[in-house]
Amino acid sequence: MSEDTAESKDPPEPFPWRRWLAAAFPVVVFGIVAVVLHHVLGAYPLREVVAALRAIPGSAVAAACGLTAGSYFMLTLYDWIAVKYVQKPVSYARTALTSFIAYAFGHNLSLASFTGAAVRYRLYSSQGFTTVDVATVVSVCALSTAIGVSVLAGGALLLAAPGSGALHLGHLWSKLVGALLVGWVLAYVIWAARARRPASIGSWALRPPGATLALSQVLVAAVDLTCSAGVLYVLLPPSSAISFPTFAGLYAVAIVAGIVSQLPGGIGVIEAFVAVALPDVPAPQKLGALILYRAIYYFGPLLIATLAFVGHELYRQRPQLRRAGGFADSVIAPVLRPVAPQLIGVLVFLAGAVLLVSGATPALDARLGKLIDVVPLPLLEVSHLAGSVIGVGLLILARGLFRRLAAAYHVTFWLLVAGIVASLLKGLDFEEAAYLGLVLLVMWLGRSAFHRPSSIMSQRFTPGWLASVAIIVALSVWIGILAQHHLPYSAELWWTVAAKGDAPRMLRASLAVVVSLAAFVAINLMKPAPAQPHDPAALDLERARLAIRRSSSSLANAALAGDKRLLFPPSGDAFVMYQVSGRSWVALGDPVAPPDREEELVWAFRELVDLRGGRTVFYQVSGRSLPLYIDLGLTLIKLGEEARVPLADFHLEGSARADLRQSRKRAQRDGASFQVIPAAGVPALLPRLRGISDAWLEDKATAEKGFSLGAFSERYIAEFPVAVVRSEGEIVAFANLWGTESLEELSIDLMRFSPDAPRGAMDYLFIELMLWGRAQGYRWFNLGMAPLAGLENRALAPLWHRLGSFLFRHGESFYNFEGLRRYKSKFDPVWEPRYMASPGGLHLPRVLLDVSTLISGGFKELIAK
């Protein structure tokens, strides 16, 4: 993507250390967890843990699987209750599928594209759910989880026998805390049954769900947490000597600690908490139960959810599948393409983790004995070392796959091939090679999704991603140390080469992994800062005209105002127009590009903003590309609705258009006439147009705006045809026209009137413009956006929606929002929602302030130049 080296006055990122501090928090937590687990389990060799794992009876494993199924069934009821709350007519089967996939991914992953909210948006949006509906469902599900944890922990504390030390609270404190936890749940049920007004919770308002839904929440959540606690409880040895109520309370607290840690699935945190809280259970049996619990409750459902997700996409594409020819390219590839970057990125990241853990643990003796007879020892050593280095490479490349980089795809493909070979040569790890082969197959089927030409090293890796890689590397090193701790350390181990030399191979592999990762981080951090983007020059505007002529959106013409920066791909035939305000990098509209090129530009803009430590914002985007912005990890808020008039159906006949017909005749009787001046004829009229514009600004007691609204400048106005209204031969009103070469859409930017314009000149100008546009063959006339129109005013709607809806209805002192929509409605337009995609949470108020600064004319000096 092209950038200039001109100096910029963009403010530096304030407190950049905050991003690194936030990323370091889970790393520090994981380090503490590793130290605790090592202290508890470090005295036991790995073979004892494996023996304890194999000693768990099949009946206990079957019971754990059944309880897992029961827990996930209850989780589907979380969503069913939430869907009932938002009053959407969705079947239980659809709700259950969405809930299962969302929870399976959400439990295991902390990636923005696969959180519960993102998955729910993908699956519920096809059922007519709005972003507010999905946010409401997520909030109600989170509330249900809080209820379940409170009931489980509170009940355990109230039922704890005097002198019980498992919960590490005195008897009186146990009763007090338990009563508080259960008490707030009872208070919630009473409020839900009897209240008539919403309760405010931060920026949300909770509408009373009624007694039935509230009691359902309590019952379902309590059963869910009881089942999930039971999964681990039945895997513990009978000698654990802890009652289930007490264990359930411990488990509830461990779940909360896992959530607070921000680690995916609370990995390590739950294990450490349970290990410390159950000192009487032998450590090998404790660790074996925890490993099997993680596999049954977390990894098993994740695998099933992945298959269900792909099956769901296949089902959605069934009309295309019936018409498809070749199975792989015509059937599977189109289905995988929308989700391939996220799905394959996750699979590759897990493949890297598998290789690292495999390299840190001893090979199976029986397989190694067969292998050493046919494979030379030096080749075995090199394969072991290569497998670990390939693992860290896959962790790094997974980010490039998320960003659809073609180079990342090709390098990952051959690394997976090499990983399969290394897995077989270092220990006949057939299971490991099979998983890598599966990932390789999925990658090949989804290969068409990786088309972006950017270099892998051209992107800086965010602190969060580096923290995730560091945690996996640290986990593998710790597992290796734990597996070999029974051997005394000596310097000779580094140089020992032997068939049974698992410890030396682990040490060399760990060193190679750490050095490889450190070298990559150093190279990434020492790269020179990218050139500062610059304000548009004449050459940029000339390049932009090529893309504007090909665009089907009239908004593309806003680039010619000269107050926005432009980001071009290497081909130069598309762009993103944006400007910087504070730390917010605000792109106006969707990329000006063909639909198949939008994704490339959106990611390029996101990467540019990440390099600068800013906030990525897309302002006034259509609903067509919302899944793309969701993939970027952005939050969507509705700005209002845009009015587009279908010109083929526009006319002045009939009673429905009587008011428009009368307005036109009245203006004509007053001596008004209409004319469209070609761009070539506009320069001669500029002095008169300037006078009208200045008089209009003075009369309205306002100043020029910017960014999404044009401002008067001779160069800008001369770019376009201008529609004028004359009265007695003198121009009294004008509007510059935004058109598209494809005749898809016609719109206006500036509309200015002189004080002596005839009454009804605005109506007359719009009517004549629509009639003229229809005669020229345009399909749509864009009347622009009605801000805050169509925002939800329901009780659980976000604060922005409720505030916007209030301003829309009662904000006449600030701006006639409702009157503007009512005025545009008389032309019978089609109303289409427009959104802003930006970081959510605490960032949103600052983003809104930065955007308003841009629109209010923060860059008028650029227009003046």
Side-chain angles (χ1 to χ4, degrees):
M1 297 295 159
S2 61
E3 297 177 350
D4 200 284
T5 57
E7 291 187 4
S8 173
K9 296 182 180 179
D10 295 340
E13 177 188 358
F15 309 114
W17 50 267
R18 288 182 179 177
R19 294 192 299 145
W20 288 97
L21 188 62
F25 176 72
V27 177
V28 173
V29 171
F30 182 80
I32 295 172
V33 165
V35 170
V36 171
L37 285 175
H38 193 80
H39 175 73
V40 175
L41 308 172
Y44 302 90
L46 183 62
R47 62 177 179 272
E48 291 189 20
V49 177
V50 174
L53 185 61
R54 291 175 174 173
I56 297 176
S59 59
V61 175
C65 292
L67 289 168
T68 297
S71 175
Y72 276 87
F73 170 72
M74 289 297 159
L75 289 174
T76 66
L77 297 181
Y78 281 22
D79 274 66
W80 183 79
I81 291 170
V83 168
K84 291 294 182 184
Y85 182 81
V86 298
Q87 300 174 352
K88 289 289 184 178
V90 181
S91 67
Y92 169 74
R94 166 71 64 174
T95 303
L97 176 66
T98 302
S99 176
F100 174 69
I101 295 174
Y103 275 113
F105 279 118
H107 280 169
N108 287 275
L109 308 172
S110 59
L111 302 167
S113 297
F114 271 105
T115 58
V119 172
R120 284 185 175 91
Y121 180 81
R122 285 178 181 274
L123 300 181
Y124 279 137
S125 59
S126 62
Q127 301 298 306
F129 279 56
T130 65
T131 53
V132 174
D133 294 329
V134 175
T136 303
V137 169
V138 172
S139 300
V140 173
C141 289
L143 177 60
S144 298
T145 300
I147 289 173
V149 170
S150 298
V151 170
L152 202 65
L157 289 169
L158 289 175
L159 296 175
S164 173
L167 293 174
H168 301 283
L169 286 174
H171 184 64
L172 180 61
W173 279 106
S174 296
K175 302 301 181 185
L176 179 60
V177 175
L180 289 174
L181 290 172
V182 175
W184 90 260
V185 175
L186 292 175
Y188 166 74
V189 173
I190 295 171
W191 169 83
R194 306 187 63 177
R196 295 295 178 265
R197 294 183 178 180
S200 295
I201 303 175
S203 62
W204 294 80
L206 180 65
R207 170 173 51 85
T212 301
L213 284 183
L215 288 172
S216 299
Q217 278 182 285
V218 175
L219 177 62
V220 168
V223 174
D224 161 47
L225 268 296
T226 300
C227 287
S228 62
V231 174
L232 180 54
Y233 186 76
V234 298
L235 295 174
L236 292 172
S239 60
S240 57
I242 182 173
S243 67
F244 180 73
T246 302
F247 176 81
L250 289 171
Y251 180 84
V253 178
I255 291 295
V256 173
I259 294 172
V260 172
S261 73
Q262 302 179 30
L263 291 169
I267 188 168
V269 177
I270 297 175
E271 286 81 354
F273 198 93
V274 173
V276 172
L278 300 177
D280 297 332
V281 179
Q285 295 176 326
K286 197 158 39 181
L287 184 56
L290 287 167
I291 291 173
L292 195 55
Y293 159 77
R294 179 70 62 173
I296 292 175
Y297 192 77
Y298 286 87
F299 299 152
L302 177 63
L303 176 61
I304 298 172
T306 301
L307 298 175
F309 190 61
V310 173
H312 172 266
E313 294 299 321
L314 283 170
Y315 181 79
R316 285 184 60 188
Q317 301 290 336
R318 63 191 183 282
Q320 292 88 333
L321 302 185
R322 283 192 284 265
R323 299 192 297 268
F327 182 75
D329 290 330
S330 301
V331 178
I332 298 182
V335 173
L336 276 180
R337 182 180 175 86
V339 298
Q342 295 81 20
L343 179 62
I344 294 172
V346 169
L347 293 177
V348 168
F349 192 87
L350 292 177
V354 167
L355 284 172
L356 288 177
V357 173
S358 174
T361 52
L364 296 177
D365 291 340
R367 295 183 183 180
L368 189 61
K370 295 177 180 178
L371 184 67
I372 203 66
D373 294 334
V374 295
V375 175
L377 184 58
L379 181 58
L380 186 148
E381 294 284 349
V382 170
S383 299
H384 190 279
L385 194 65
S388 296
V389 175
I390 290 170
V392 76
L394 293 178
L395 295 181
I396 293 170
L397 287 166
R399 178 174 171 82
L401 296 173
F402 269 90
R403 302 203 166 204
R404 303 173 185 259
L405 300 185
Y409 167 81
H410 292 296
V411 175
T412 302
F413 185 93
W414 292 110
L415 280 185
L416 286 171
V417 172
I420 293 173
V421 175
S423 297
L424 296 175
L425 291 179
K426 69 185 177 68
L428 294 179
D429 290 329
F430 298 112
E431 301 84 359
E432 183 179 306
Y435 174 72
L436 297 180
L438 176 63
V439 177
L440 191 65
L441 175 62
V442 175
M443 271 195 67
W444 181 77
L445 292 173
R447 63 192 181 279
S448 61
F450 303 96
H451 50 75
R452 293 189 54 219
S454 301
S455 167
I456 298 172
M457 297 302 297
S458 66
Q459 54 178 344
R460 286 186 187 271
F461 283 68
T462 62
W465 191 275
L466 291 176
S468 300
V469 174
I471 287 173
I472 297 299
V473 170
L475 175 65
S476 69
V477 173
W478 174 71
I479 290 176
I481 294 173
L482 190 65
Q484 304 293 341
H485 75 280
H486 58 285
L487 292 177
Y489 173 79
S490 66
E492 287 77 15
L493 285 175
W494 292 96
W495 312 105
T496 302
V497 178
K500 299 290 187 178
D502 290 319
R505 280 194 284 272
M506 181 275 295
L507 287 174
R508 290 190 290 266
S510 299
L511 178 63
V513 165
V514 172
V515 170
S516 299
L517 180 60
F520 175 81
V521 172
I523 293 172
N524 196 263
L525 293 177
M526 290 190 298
K527 285 190 304 185
Q532 287 280 0
H534 69 112
D535 300 320
L539 179 60
D540 294 322
L541 297 181
E542 190 60 39
R543 296 170 67 193
R545 287 186 181 91
L546 175 62
I548 292 171
R549 285 196 294 268
R550 297 176 178 176
S551 176
S552 60
S553 171
S554 60
L555 184 61
N557 292 279
L560 300 178
D563 64 339
K564 287 169 281 294
R565 301 172 178 181
L566 305 176
L567 178 67
F568 293 93
S571 60
D573 59 351
F575 63 86
V576 171
M577 48 183 161
Y578 70 97
Q579 194 49 274
V580 182
S581 177
R583 282 188 58 208
S584 299
W585 292 54
V586 188
L588 178 59
D590 297 308
V592 180
D596 60 342
R597 301 277 303 283
E598 285 186 353
E599 186 177 35
E600 172 192 357
L601 277 164
V602 164
W603 275 107
F605 181 67
R606 172 61 187 267
E607 289 167 357
L608 174 64
V609 178
D610 285 348
L611 292 175
R612 295 294 175 190
R615 305 184 188 95
T616 302
V617 182
F618 286 87
Y619 178 78
Q620 204 171 317
V621 297
S622 65
R624 172 173 49 84
S625 301
L626 292 188
L628 180 56
Y629 301 117
I630 291 288
D631 285 346
L632 265 64
L634 301 179
T635 300
L636 300 172
I637 66 171
K638 189 175 181 180
L639 297 174
E641 295 179 330
E642 192 170 80
R644 300 178 76 215
V645 179
L647 294 180
D649 301 329
F650 183 76
H651 57 80
L652 299 180
E653 291 78 28
S655 59
R657 302 294 174 88
D659 289 343
L660 297 181
R661 194 165 57 247
Q662 291 299 323
S663 296
R664 186 189 189 203
K665 290 180 178 179
R666 186 184 307 113
Q668 289 173 338
R669 285 197 303 268
D670 292 341
S673 63
F674 170 83
Q675 182 184 6
V676 174
I677 309 296
V682 171
L685 303 178
L686 287 175
R688 174 59 184 167
L689 301 184
R690 166 63 79 178
I692 293 173
S693 177
D694 291 345
W696 184 85
L697 291 172
E698 183 178 356
D699 181 63
K700 300 295 183 181
T702 187
E704 296 282 14
K705 300 298 187 286
F707 194 60
S708 63
L709 304 171
F712 191 96
S713 74
E714 282 77 2
R715 182 204 58 79
Y716 173 63
I717 296 298
E719 292 274 1
F720 309 100
V722 172
V724 299
V725 175
R726 300 179 188 270
S727 180
E728 299 179 357
E730 187 74 15
I731 297 176
V732 294
F734 74 92
N736 65 319
L737 303 186
W738 283 354
T740 59
E741 197 172 82
S742 64
L743 301 181
E744 177 69 18
E745 188 175 72
L746 177 68
S747 185
I748 64 168
D749 183 22
L750 297 183
M751 177 184 281
R752 304 280 164 92
F753 301 85
S754 66
D756 53 350
R759 188 164 59 93
M762 179 184 289
D763 286 355
Y764 177 68
L765 183 54
F766 273 127
I767 293 168
E768 292 293 346
L769 272 173
M770 292 180 197
L771 293 174
W772 179 85
R774 186 183 67 178
Q776 297 297 313
Y778 284 96
R779 292 188 58 210
W780 297 90
F781 187 87
N782 193 325
L783 285 165
M785 188 171 66
L788 307 183
L791 268 63
E792 302 278 356
N793 191 33
R794 293 182 295 178
L796 201 58
L799 177 62
W800 163 254
H801 279 245
R802 291 185 284 115
L803 177 60
S805 179
F806 178 83
L807 288 175
F808 180 78
R809 290 178 287 112
H810 306 292
E812 294 87 353
S813 300
F814 306 100
Y815 188 86
N816 192 7
F817 297 103
E818 195 166 15
L820 178 61
R821 192 185 197 280
R822 190 164 50 246
Y823 175 81
K824 295 181 179 183
S825 294
K826 68 183 180 181
F827 295 99
D828 295 331
V830 176
W831 293 98
E832 299 178 357
R834 291 294 177 264
Y835 301 90
M836 182 174 72
S838 71
L842 298 177
H843 294 287
L844 184 57
R846 184 68 227 187
V847 168
L848 291 172
L849 180 61
D850 290 340
V851 172
S852 65
T853 300
L854 285 178
I855 296 174
S856 65
F859 290 88
K860 292 192 293 293
E861 68 278 4
L862 298 178
I863 301 170
K865 288 190 292 187

